[in-house]
Amino acid sequence: MVDLALKCKDWATMHGACMRSKINFSRDQLQYAPFAMLPSPFPRDLFEKACRLQPLINELMFSVAINDEFLLKTLERLVDVDPFLARLLRIYRTVLSEGVGQDIFLGLIRSDYMIEKSQNGEYKLSMVEVNTIAAGFGWMGPVSGMIHKFVLSELDADEHIPKLPVNNALEAITDGMHEAWMHYQSSYKAPSSVIMIIVEDVSYNICDQRFHEFELAKKNPKVRTIRRTLTQVGEQGWLDNSDSKSRLKIGETEVAVIYFRCGYAPEQYPTEKEWEARLLIERSLAIKCPSIRCHLAGSKKIQQILSKEGMIDTFLQSQTEDMESNKKSKKRKDDILALCDTFTGLYSLDLDEEGDRNAAMGIANPLLYVLKPQREGGGNNIYGEDVAKELTKLGRTKERESFILMKLIKPPIIDNFINRPGHGDQIRLEPTICELGIFGAYIGSLKSRKLRSSSQAGHMLRVKGYGVNEGGVASGLGALDSPLLVEQLTSIS
């Protein structure tokens, strides 16, 4: 296995499965991303179910995003205890009062799942979260499958290669970006307008980002992309109102589409300049991915509310009623029930009787739960005995409402070899658990309150060591993986 591991490191490096090192950062150097040597077995029926449900999740998140009353009512109660969310809401309210600058918005989202045994002993899908901003691994997902196709071939196990599902994530995600760009340049007579990617000051996951740019150029050589930080947008950006359209310009370059790979965490807004840049973007004619409303729709509190009985039905009911005369309506209702079944184990910590009961539940059995703040990007959740400590410290303060409690999902343990940079020739078999991400792409209209297009857009799989709480690939705690579709998991301990 050591010889094969060394060969696979070179294969991964030479095929773009790379990141920049957090330890020895250099813009001139890349290292391969950590990856599992073998694809992880995953139930075929549950993988296909997750793919089938994604267009419905697109529709759900779109319906939430266009419901101003619901968003404001749900999130405004957190303003006093979450300064970051408060600033995002201030921008949201500002553009609502001024009038939204762009009717069309692009959603590139990712629904993350783990599998676990249900009460009847069968495996089921359990939703971890829906990511509505900077949902990465549109390239790393497909390249992971390419690595495993190579590995299986090297192991003379070609008969298993068809069990690796086709993964068109990069093509499908950039299709959405290209469609948004085409709409803008044709609607506003701006053939030279660009797609702007909002990035961090230092980008570690550079290959995942750059391959989107390269794929867009391959798809249409007329599409030009630029990369800017929020700081640079604050310094270079302005609104051209010469035709009363509020066109966003970076210098003299018009921006058609804005794709956020940054902007989801407080530290990414170190000064007022970055907040002014975000407001400038929201006021502009450019198509956002995501718009501020779609960003807010991905809040943990929103997803906890959606898990309540009847809430998902409420948001999807109007479209279902439109289909009553159609034979597809029964299948749709069945899919809505299946989707509701994945949204389980999310509990409010509001300052009421229910919240007190849930907090007591977390304190009594902290190993069964995860405490989640309203944050994206990893490294924010609280696990194990720390759940009880934090809930006890919070008591019945207002700050408790800024968290939600989630049942800890217990996926099956799978032994695998993990190839990590910096570990030399060392590679050992270790217990792991995996998390499936299903991408979705949609374009919606605020004016018509309808989706113009919607699709499932590929997948990714991450693996982390059993017992490791956070599984970030860039940090080295997690690793790239891909699913090997099987009929059942009876052989897994």
Side-chain angles (χ1 to χ4, degrees):
M1 183 59 79
V2 172
D3 288 343
L4 179 58
L6 292 173
K7 195 172 187 178
C8 288
K9 289 180 184 181
D10 291 340
W11 195 99
T13 303
M14 295 173 186
H15 289 79
C18 298
M19 293 179 166
R20 288 178 175 144
S21 171
K22 280 193 169 184
I23 299 172
N24 299 304
F25 176 81
S26 170
R27 285 188 169 84
D28 297 329
Q29 295 179 354
L30 292 172
Q31 65 181 26
Y32 69 88
F35 64 91
M37 281 294 294
L38 301 170
S40 293
F42 199 95
R44 180 183 296 274
D45 61 332
L46 296 183
F47 176 83
E48 292 175 348
K49 176 182 178 181
C51 293
R52 186 182 76 246
L53 292 178
Q54 188 56 48
L56 201 60
I57 295 174
N58 294 349
E59 185 182 327
L60 173 65
M61 300 315 294
F62 169 75
S63 298
V64 171
I66 63 174
N67 192 320
D68 299 322
E69 180 182 359
F70 173 74
L71 284 176
L72 290 171
K73 181 180 178 181
T74 303
L75 297 177
E76 277 191 331
R77 65 188 303 162
L78 306 180
V79 165
D80 293 337
V81 293
D82 193 327
F84 179 66
L85 182 63
R87 291 301 300 262
L88 293 175
L89 277 171
R90 187 192 303 179
I91 292 173
Y92 179 41
R93 285 194 293 263
T94 298
V95 294
L96 280 180
S97 64
E98 295 177 351
V100 178
Q102 173 56 260
D103 164 54
I104 301 296
F105 52 89
L106 170 63
L108 297 174
I109 67 178
R110 195 186 70 225
S111 307
D112 291 343
Y113 302 91
M114 286 182 171
I115 61 171
E116 62 179 342
K117 281 193 174 180
S118 58
Q119 291 182 346
N120 64 9
E122 296 181 356
Y123 284 104
K124 60 164 287 195
L125 281 174
S126 291
M127 178 79 73
V128 177
E129 62 185 353
V130 179
N131 300 278
T132 60
I133 181 170
F137 284 67
W139 162 245
M140 290 300 199
V143 79
S144 303
M146 297 176 200
I147 292 172
H148 288 139
K149 185 176 180 179
F150 173 74
V151 169
L152 292 174
S153 180
E154 288 291 305
L155 292 172
D156 290 325
D158 297 71
E159 70 274 15
H160 292 296
I161 291 177
K163 298 176 186 176
L164 299 172
V166 174
N167 194 351
N168 66 339
L170 185 66
E171 294 89 341
I173 289 170
T174 52
D175 277 346
M177 297 167 72
H178 183 250
E179 183 183 348
W181 179 84
M182 289 287 290
H183 173 82
Y184 186 95
Q185 64 93 20
S186 62
S187 298
Y188 306 109
K189 297 180 174 58
S192 61
S193 56
V194 303
I195 295 176
M196 179 169 67
I197 303 175
I198 302 295
V199 297
E200 296 170 285
D201 292 330
V202 176
S203 295
Y204 298 105
N205 196 8
I206 188 65
C207 285
D208 193 59
Q209 295 178 16
R210 286 293 192 186
F211 269 82
H212 289 71
E213 300 175 52
F214 303 154
E215 181 66 22
L216 280 164
K218 184 170 72 173
K219 200 179 296 289
N220 185 344
K222 293 182 179 179
V223 178
R224 192 163 69 88
T225 57
I226 62 173
R227 297 166 64 86
R228 294 292 187 274
T229 65
L230 283 170
T231 306
Q232 290 171 324
V233 173
E235 293 169 346
Q236 304 168 15
W238 58 286
L239 297 183
D240 182 352
N241 291 302
S242 58
D243 60 354
S244 303
K245 293 290 187 185
S246 295
R247 298 172 187 263
L248 178 62
K249 299 284 185 72
I250 301 296
E252 293 303 315
T253 301
E254 184 169 353
V255 178
V257 179
I258 301 162
Y259 174 45
F260 283 88
R261 291 298 295 254
C262 177
Y264 51 81
E267 61 269 19
Q268 294 164 351
Y269 299 82
T271 70
E272 281 300 308
K273 184 177 292 183
E274 290 75 31
W275 285 112
E276 291 166 3
R278 186 68 189 268
L279 179 58
L280 182 79
I281 287 169
E282 292 300 326
R283 281 171 162 160
S284 78
L285 185 66
I287 297 173
K288 296 91 180 168
C289 180
S291 65
I292 191 73
R293 59 177 60 245
C294 295
H295 182 173
L296 292 169
S299 302
K300 301 294 188 293
K301 185 62 180 177
I302 295 292
Q303 292 178 41
Q304 181 262 310
I305 296 292
L306 289 176
S307 72
K308 290 187 174 183
E309 186 175 354
M311 287 302 298
I312 290 176
D313 292 294
T314 298
F315 279 101
L316 298 177
Q317 189 60 41
S318 59
Q319 287 85 349
T320 303
E321 290 171 352
D322 292 342
M323 299 173 67
E324 285 300 328
S325 61
N326 195 307
K327 63 182 180 180
K328 294 181 180 179
S329 63
K330 183 182 184 305
K331 178 182 179 300
R332 176 182 170 83
K333 289 178 181 178
D334 289 343
D335 284 346
I336 290 175
L337 287 174
L339 176 59
C340 292
D341 187 53
T342 70
F343 274 80
T344 57
L346 295 170
Y347 305 99
S348 165
L349 291 171
D350 291 347
L351 295 182
D352 54 23
E353 186 177 335
E354 179 188 356
D356 291 343
R357 190 165 56 247
N358 293 337
M361 189 169 65
I363 292 170
N365 297 287
L367 301 184
L368 300 180
Y369 300 97
V370 182
L371 195 59
K372 290 188 167 188
Q374 310 299 314
R375 292 291 179 270
E376 302 297 331
N380 301 297
N381 298 334
I382 299 171
Y383 297 84
E385 295 294 346
D386 290 338
V387 171
K389 293 176 183 176
E390 186 67 22
L391 284 172
T392 301
K393 185 176 77 173
L394 289 168
R396 292 199 86 256
T397 62
K398 187 74 173 170
E399 284 77 6
R400 193 181 79 183
E401 294 191 324
S402 65
F403 292 84
I404 67 166
L405 193 68
M406 179 178 175
K407 181 179 75 68
L408 184 69
I409 303 170
K410 297 181 178 180
I413 301 168
I414 303 168
D415 290 336
N416 209 330
F417 297 93
I418 307 298
N419 224 331
R420 294 186 176 91
H423 286 239
D425 295 346
Q426 298 176 23
I427 184 167
R428 60 186 175 83
L429 196 64
E430 56 185 277
T432 68
I433 58 175
C434 60
E435 181 176 323
L436 176 70
I438 303 294
F439 293 101
Y442 70 83
I443 292 181
S445 166
L446 188 61
K447 187 179 297 183
S448 70
R449 307 182 76 79
K450 299 285 186 183
L451 288 172
R452 297 167 62 97
S453 63
S454 176
S455 65
Q456 183 264 333
H459 64 274
M460 54 82 75
L461 195 74
R462 282 176 297 189
V463 68
K464 63 181 179 180
Y466 176 67
V468 174
N469 289 329
E470 298 287 355
V473 175
S475 68
L477 296 174
L480 305 178
D481 199 358
S482 58
L484 185 80
L485 302 185
V486 297
E487 302 309 319
Q488 53 186 359
L489 293 179
T490 52
S491 63
I492 296 179
S493 61

